[in-house]
Amino acid sequence: MTAPDLLDLGRFGLGLALIAGLRALAKWARQPQAAFLAPLMAPRLHYGLAGMVSGYTFLPQLAPAFAALLAVVLVCCCAWVGVAAGCSFDLRREYQHRLLGLVIEGGQAGMAMAAVLLAAFLVNQLPAAGSIYLNGAALEVVCGICMVGISAAGAEQQANRPPLAALCGALLAALGISQLHGQPFPLLYSSLLPRALLVDGQLGKLLYASLLGCATGALADLATRDTHTLGVRCYLLAGAVLLGGGIATALGLEPLWVGLLAGAWWINATLRRLDVLETVTRSYSFAQSGLLFSCGWFLGEGVLGGGANLKVFTWAALLVLALRLASRLSSRLEVRYVPADRPHRGLRQVPAGILDLDDVGLALAAGLLRTLPSEAGIALLGAVAAGQLCLRLFSWWSRRLRPQAAAPLV
């Protein structure tokens, strides 16, 4: 290993100084006099920016080893986010929703999928715009990310609705990831068989990913059933998530889908539902921080190494923004003009902060880093992150301006 030169050391030191400055700004933003910095120093932007600065200024001699470590962290965090998403599908909870609302969300998800495919077709047909160089499997993942955004926009208006579009989006993205990986994996070795049984079909990979997710959920349930300490439960959950997500990644499957089914199995099979929800809620901030920092690091490293495909970035960012804004407008109209049902007796509310659906879309975009070329994968991940950031800033500014707009004229 060659020693770093002065330029690399200076850039690395500058990056550490910038990260320390971001940390100080994040602490100052919690004060009342610095409320204007709250949306800019939110945890999502804080950890993401720190990761980008670190990835861009990291020492080149140590970057490959640190990238391998962060790849493991990213897989674990993606599966952990999937567990939190799966815990929202509790069959014993009475949802306060209308069937019409689920039908509307399903229709929005279908329209989002059609919009992605139509936009890809139109861009590829325009000589001036050029090609976005994405095949059908990659477009499946992009459709899934947009479907998750549809659910996120609906959750802003009706928090008790199960994220139907997010479930469909995760399923579609899992199909696309398994097809992009392409390599079959052996199922069974035996001297009695002339050859090993291979799983190479798209549906076959999805089936075994689902079985792996259910097995991971059963393992988490058995490991935490007799544990009454929160910290121990979090460590046991981390072990189960790392095991299931690691096996999924080694086989070319989507760890988020494995985690989602693990969470759904765990919350519906356990006898201690409140303990499971407490464990997932209290540990989710760790998984969110790791996901944001890892995505930011790979974005910074990718921009420094080879850059991003600007056509793919522009196309994906416009899709994320347009579809999310359209879904938010549709959800507001639904809340205003569609009468809500009377609350069910014994309604159990979803714990606040258990899941941020934007993290599901970010985790699906991060899965493309393992399968797509570097320029396209970095462009899609950057487009999803930039689109979510713009939408969060727009939402914050609209909330700040709404009381002023509603004030009577003097």
Side-chain angles (χ1 to χ4, degrees):
M1 181 185 298
T2 60
D5 56 16
L6 293 179
L7 181 61
D8 292 335
L9 288 175
R11 188 176 61 185
F12 182 67
L14 179 61
L16 293 179
L18 289 176
I19 292 174
L22 287 173
R23 179 61 178 170
L25 279 177
K27 288 185 177 181
W28 186 52
R30 300 172 186 171
Q31 305 298 325
Q33 62 271 20
F36 64 95
L37 285 176
L40 297 177
M41 288 293 112
R44 293 186 58 84
L45 184 58
H46 173 224
Y47 290 110
L49 280 179
M52 287 188 65
V53 172
S54 178
Y56 190 81
T57 61
F58 206 78
L59 294 176
Q61 291 78 9
L62 301 178
F66 195 68
L69 175 62
L70 281 186
V72 178
V73 173
L74 184 60
V75 168
C76 181
C77 293
C78 289
W80 209 317
V81 169
V83 170
C87 287
S88 62
F89 294 95
D90 186 2
L91 299 180
R92 291 172 293 184
R93 192 184 71 204
E94 298 180 36
Y95 291 104
Q96 180 187 0
H97 65 275
R98 292 176 60 91
L99 178 61
L100 179 60
L102 294 178
V103 173
I104 292 175
E105 185 173 343
Q108 290 175 345
M111 293 179 64
M113 180 177 178
V116 171
L117 299 178
L118 180 61
F121 174 77
L122 292 178
V123 170
N124 289 328
Q125 295 299 316
L126 295 176
S131 176
I132 56 174
Y133 303 107
L134 294 180
N135 56 13
L139 290 178
E140 287 183 15
V141 183
V142 176
C143 290
I145 295 171
C146 291
M147 289 181 182
V148 173
I150 296 297
S151 266
E156 294 173 359
Q157 304 297 325
Q158 299 184 18
N160 290 324
R161 178 187 295 175
L164 176 64
L167 177 64
C168 298
L171 174 61
L172 193 62
L175 286 171
I177 290 292
S178 62
Q179 186 177 355
L180 281 171
H181 189 267
Q183 300 178 359
F185 59 88
L187 179 63
L188 179 64
Y189 285 109
S190 177
S191 59
L192 300 178
L193 297 175
R195 60 178 182 177
L197 297 178
L198 297 179
V199 178
D200 56 355
Q202 192 173 2
L203 294 179
K205 290 182 179 180
L206 181 65
L207 173 62
Y208 286 102
S210 303
L211 292 177
L212 178 60
C214 295
T216 304
L219 176 63
D221 182 27
L222 293 175
T224 59
R225 181 168 295 181
D226 298 327
T227 305
H228 299 278
T229 306
L230 176 62
V232 177
R233 288 200 306 268
C234 290
Y235 281 116
L236 292 174
L237 173 60
V241 165
L242 186 58
L243 178 63
I247 294 176
T249 305
L251 298 178
L253 306 175
E254 174 53 47
L256 187 138
W257 177 253
V258 172
L260 191 148
L261 291 183
W265 180 282
W266 190 22
I267 193 64
N268 288 289
T270 186
L271 300 176
R272 300 167 58 189
R273 175 183 176 273
L274 295 180
D275 290 339
V276 170
L277 293 177
E278 181 187 14
T279 303
V280 176
T281 304
R282 296 290 293 273
S283 63
Y284 183 74
S285 60
F286 170 78
Q288 185 185 44
S289 303
L291 174 68
L292 297 173
F293 182 85
S294 301
C295 290
W297 198 92
F298 284 111
L299 279 176
E301 184 194 34
V303 171
L304 177 64
N309 191 317
L310 293 180
K311 296 177 182 177
V312 176
F313 177 85
T314 305
W315 173 80
L318 290 177
L319 270 177
V320 170
L321 288 171
L323 292 177
R324 181 72 170 271
L325 290 174
S327 177
R328 182 179 296 180
L329 177 61
S330 176
S331 299
R332 286 188 178 182
L333 293 177
E334 177 190 350
V335 171
R336 177 174 298 183
Y337 295 108
V338 177
D341 283 343
R342 186 173 56 187
H344 297 288
R345 185 172 57 185
L347 176 66
R348 304 181 182 95
Q349 297 290 338
V350 183
I354 192 174
L355 174 67
D356 189 344
L357 284 173
D358 282 341
D359 295 332
V360 178
L362 196 64
L364 292 177
L368 291 173
L369 293 176
R370 302 187 302 269
T371 54
L372 288 182
S374 177
E375 290 187 357
I378 293 297
L380 283 174
L381 180 60
V384 173
Q388 292 178 358
L389 172 62
C390 292
L391 289 167
R392 284 180 175 270
L393 293 178
F394 175 77
S395 178
W396 183 82
W397 284 326
S398 65
R399 287 195 302 267
R400 290 293 300 269
L401 294 176
R402 196 175 302 160
Q404 300 177 5
L409 297 177
V410 179

